[in-house]
Amino acid sequence: MRAADVIAEGVRGAGPAEMPGRLCVVAVELLPVVGASVSLRADGMPIQLSASDDQAAHLSDVQATLGDGPCTYAAAIGAPVLASDLTNGRDARRWPVFAQQATAVGVQAVYSIPLGNDAVCVGTLDLYRATPGGLSHPELRTALLVSSIMTMALMALPQGAENGAEGEEAWLSGLATDHDEVYQAVGMIMVQSGIGADEALALLRAHAFAHNRTALELARDVVSHRKRFDRD
């Protein structure tokens, strides 16, 4: 009852576009985590929808840039991925680069919960913990409750409601503008370098990571013509 009450209070009065962010904050209040983010699943890379704070947003961007991490894996298998220790052991070995990035900013465990149902995964709720450790059974039930309400909130968004104009674009289109910038950049890199889409996205990610930037930041430079990827 406490979890349900906290969730109800946390989302009271929230509009459709505010719900994901409110639920991320509620997750931090209810669970032994320091941050939460929600991302939509998409071809190529996840789209960050909202986060409880800057640290959570950063780690969401890191996973999108790397194309690897608990978020990506949970979306692929449609099941929770509980990386309880990124400092050592199996989880640190499974995602070594992400683990290094996470621990460098004070996160030592990540729990990724898929959003959707048995037939489709629309994204993930990612929970970030400052110390190693798993979730107890009651905590996991609470995380699953938050993720189910997050799913319902996303699916309940009417066409155009996310950007305040009815009937303008497809479902969640107004929340996917960052995704559009990345794929516009990928198209420009394809032309500049004479390579395919997969190679262009991989090049964007690799260059961003090598220069300690996110893929979205670098994509914006490409789109604004501040950065080119001309063939050698």
Side-chain angles (χ1 to χ4, degrees), residues 128-218:
Y128 307 99
R129 183 170 179 165
T131 57
L135 293 176
S136 67
H137 289 299
E139 289 166 348
L140 181 56
R141 285 197 299 270
T142 297
L144 293 172
L145 175 62
V146 175
S147 70
S148 67
I149 295 172
M150 184 80 78
T151 297
M152 289 188 289
L154 296 178
M155 299 303 291
L157 278 172
Q159 181 172 333
E162 67 277 9
N163 56 13
E166 292 186 6
E168 266 188 11
E169 300 178 28
W171 178 75
L172 286 176
S173 58
L175 298 173
T177 53
D178 289 348
H179 179 265
D180 293 342
E181 285 184 294
V182 169
Y183 279 91
Q184 186 180 351
V186 166
M188 293 173 68
I189 294 170
M190 290 170 63
V191 173
Q192 293 167 5
S193 299
I195 57 179
D198 290 345
E199 293 174 282
L201 179 57
L203 181 60
L204 177 73
R205 281 174 156 156
H207 192 88
F209 182 74
H211 291 83
N212 197 31
R213 307 187 70 197
T214 68
L216 177 58
E217 289 171 341
L218 184 58

Side-chain angles (χ1 to χ4, degrees), residues 100-130:
Q100 186 276 326
Q101 293 286 304
T103 56
V105 296
V107 167
Q108 300 185 352
V110 175
Y111 317 117
S112 293
I113 313 295
L115 305 175
N117 54 36
D118 292 339
V120 61
C121 173
V122 299
T124 59
L125 170 66
D126 300 302
L127 306 167
Y128 307 99
R129 183 170 179 165

Side-chain angles (χ1 to χ4, degrees), residues 1-9 26 30 138 141-142 145-146 149:
M1 288 299 297
R2 176 182 179 272
D5 291 342
V6 172
I7 293 170
E9 183 61 30
V26 166
L30 288 172
R141 285 197 299 270
T142 297
L145 175 62
V146 175
I149 295 172

